[in-house]
Every structure is written in structure tokens, then in C-alpha cells.
Amino acid sequence: MSKRTAIVTGSTSGIGLGIARALGMAGHNLVINGLGDPAVIEAIRAELAAETGAEVIYDAADMSKPDEIAAMITNTIARFGHVDVLVNNAGIQFVAPIETFPPARWDLIIQINMSAAFHAIQHALADMKSRGFGRIINVASAHALVASPFKSAYVTAKHGIAGLTKTVALEAAEHGVTVNAVCPGYVLTPLVEKQIPEQAAARGISEDAVIRDVLLAAQPTKRFVTVEEVAALTVFLAGDSAGSITGAIIPIDGGWTAH
Ligand code: NAD
């Protein structure tokens, strides 16, 4: 059997990069995506290929642009013949009280964190259904299940992803295509590192206090979830053994949402 092909959006950094690496190690060819310096991205692409033995291509689609998302799927099928695994991971964050939350930030978070998954799924599903196999894994968040103050757009988008996950799971179930959401608690990536000073400003407390009393306060393990843990769960969901897991909203949050 030829290698399966996995697209991982937002895989030039953080969780997405970890997922791409793990899927490559598990025998998938890879389409990586994300923003950043072209030279840095090329170095990431080349390193992933060398490390995993996968064929790795980079697609520069901006996840806020539906036509670029459609082209990414078309280009993947043109290059590899099929798309077997779609990981909707790209995401951004912005933290502010709702009274001062910039409307343009709201729109962008909804586009990248929620609508991008709709567009990617819409274009990839026909190919998956036609071959009777597909794995769609949406990287949601514990914020798909619970809220935190000052994250109105992010929490809304992640709750929306949970609804999208369940709906498409029902539509695709008889065609060998599973659709699930993984819901990490706090993982120490650039996305979280950036919000530490923002949270400190919004709450009027120190950055150490943000880590201790805000980020990890509700995470009973009292440590960050690791990128490798999220990647391993994603690889499992992408595999043949996970064929009966669909429509699931799966916390990987150190017990946060058990409260
Ligand atoms: P990160 O900032 O390290 O990586 C985000 C990735 O998305 C980068 O590759 C970036 O280039 C890409 N991206 C951003 N805007 C884009 C756009 N318009 N088009 C294409 N790519 C774009 O963040 P991360 O922490 O690795 O987050 C990845 C996902 O995990 C996000 O959906 C985030 O909401 C989710 N998540 C993160 C945490 C956490 O604690 N870090 C917890 C739960 C869920």
C-alpha cells in the first residue's frame, strides 16, 4: 500500500509541528502549513523529511482565506493522489475583556480557529469518502468544553469546532471516515507564551502568577500537557485501530475538565 498522506494545518510551530513529526514517523507523507519566515519554514520542512523519511511539502495557504484552503486540498491530491488524514490545527489567540475586544480580532479568530476547518473538510471529504477511508482530527481545546474569561472569540470558536466535529462525524460515518476533536489543556507553545504577558495585563498580576494561578490553576496535574502527548493521541486517532472512535470530543488536559 502506498503511504497515507496527512495535511497538518499550522504545523510550522508548536503542537502542529509535533503532530506532523509524529505522523511522519508513523509512515505518512506530509503537507505542512503555517506562517513564518520562508527560510525557517524550508529548514523545518527539510528536517522533517530527513528525520521521518516522509515526503514533505509545504503549502503556504492562509487559513483565513477559503480559496487558499481549497487550493491546498487540490494541490495535495494533485501531488499525492489522495488525502487520508486532515488535522485542522492552525489557531491564534487574543486575550481581552469583551468590552475592549477588537472586532477585527474576533473575526480573524473565528476564521482561522473555526471556519478554516469547515472549508478544509468541505474540500477533502469527497476524496476520503470515495476511497472509504479518512481521518479528520480537529485540534480544539479544553476551551471547547469550558470557558475562561477574556477569551470570548477563542472559546466561541472552539465550542464551534466541537459542534462541527460531531456533525461531520454523523455525515461521514458510513464511509470509513472518522471525525474527532482533541482538546488539550495548556501546552507551553508560542501561543501560550505570548498570552502570559497579555493575561498579566488584563488581570493586573505578575507573569509568574499567571502561570501558577491562572493557566495551571485548573489543571490538576499542575504541569503543562506536552506536545508529544497531543501528537501521540492524534497518531492513534489517525490509525486503523481508531475506526470506531468518531464524533468524540476528547480531553487531554491533565484533568482540567473533570472539575
Ligand atoms: P503556535 O502559535 O505554536 O502555532 C500555531 C500555528 O498556526 C503556527 O504554525 C502558525 O503559523 C499557524 N497559523 C496561525 N495563523 C495562521 C494562518 N492564518 N494560516 C495558516 N497558519 C496559521 O500555537 P499552538 O499552541 O501550537 O496551537 C496549535 C493549536 O492548538 C491551536 O488551534 C490552538 O488553539 C490549540 N491549542 C493550544 C493549546 C496550548 O496550550 N498551546 C491548548 C489547547 C489548544
Side-chain angles (χ1 to χ4, degrees):
M1 195 177 76
S2 68
K3 279 193 167 194
R4 287 178 176 159
T5 305
I7 300 175
V8 185
T9 71
S11 46
T12 54
S13 170
I15 293 171
L17 178 55
I19 289 173
R21 181 176 290 116
L23 284 169
M25 296 301 288
H28 299 75
N29 285 324
L30 299 171
V31 178
I32 61 166
N33 158 266
L35 309 178
D37 181 310
V40 173
I41 291 174
E42 173 50 25
I44 291 170
R45 191 207 62 74
E47 193 184 319
L48 273 177
E51 217 178 337
T52 65
E55 195 176 333
V56 186
I57 64 167
Y58 167 67
D59 191 297
D62 180 336
M63 289 297 124
S64 67
K65 305 214 165 91
D67 53 338
E68 294 189 18
I69 298 170
M72 177 182 72
I73 306 293
T74 308
N75 294 341
T76 301
I77 294 171
R79 173 67 178 261
F80 291 110
H82 41 90
V83 49
D84 305 284
V85 179
L86 169 65
V87 182
N88 291 304
N89 167 79
I92 58 169
Q93 176 62 284
F94 191 80
V95 179
I98 193 153
E99 296 96 320
T100 55
F101 207 97
R105 281 279 159 188
W106 167 277
D107 288 343
L108 196 60
I109 289 177
I110 297 298
Q111 283 165 6
I112 295 170
N113 293 17
M114 191 178 77
S115 301
F118 160 77
H119 294 295
I121 292 168
Q122 182 170 65
H123 291 286
L125 193 55
D127 177 70
M128 292 177 172
K129 276 177 159 182
S130 73
R131 286 172 302 98
F133 180 87
R135 296 285 186 263
I136 297 170
I137 299 143
N138 297 320
V139 179
S141 165
H143 283 121
L145 296 161
V146 295
S148 298
F150 311 124
K151 296 185 176 178
S152 52
Y154 187 88
V155 171
T156 301
K158 295 298 187 182
H159 275 65
I161 280 289
L164 179 69
T165 299
K166 293 186 215 176
T167 305
V168 185
L170 298 178
E171 294 184 26
E174 287 184 49
H175 301 273
V177 179
T178 67
V179 190
N180 294 291
V182 298
C183 298
Y186 283 102
V187 186
L188 195 58
T189 65
L191 179 139
V192 167
E193 284 162 10
K194 179 176 166 295
Q195 67 182 277
I196 293 170
E198 291 174 2
Q199 286 265 15
R203 293 167 185 273
I205 58 177
S206 72
E207 296 190 11
D208 282 349
V210 169
I211 294 174
R212 186 186 62 243
D213 301 333
V214 180
L215 301 185
L216 298 182
Q219 209 151 287
T221 48
K222 297 294 171 206
R223 66 166 178 87
F224 288 103
V225 177
T226 69
V227 167
E228 290 74 21
E229 288 168 338
V230 180
L233 174 59
T234 304
V235 168
F236 177 72
L237 291 172
D240 292 321
S241 315
S244 291
I245 303 176
T246 195
I249 311 300
I250 306 171
I252 171 163
D253 63 6
W256 174 356
T257 54
H259 281 292

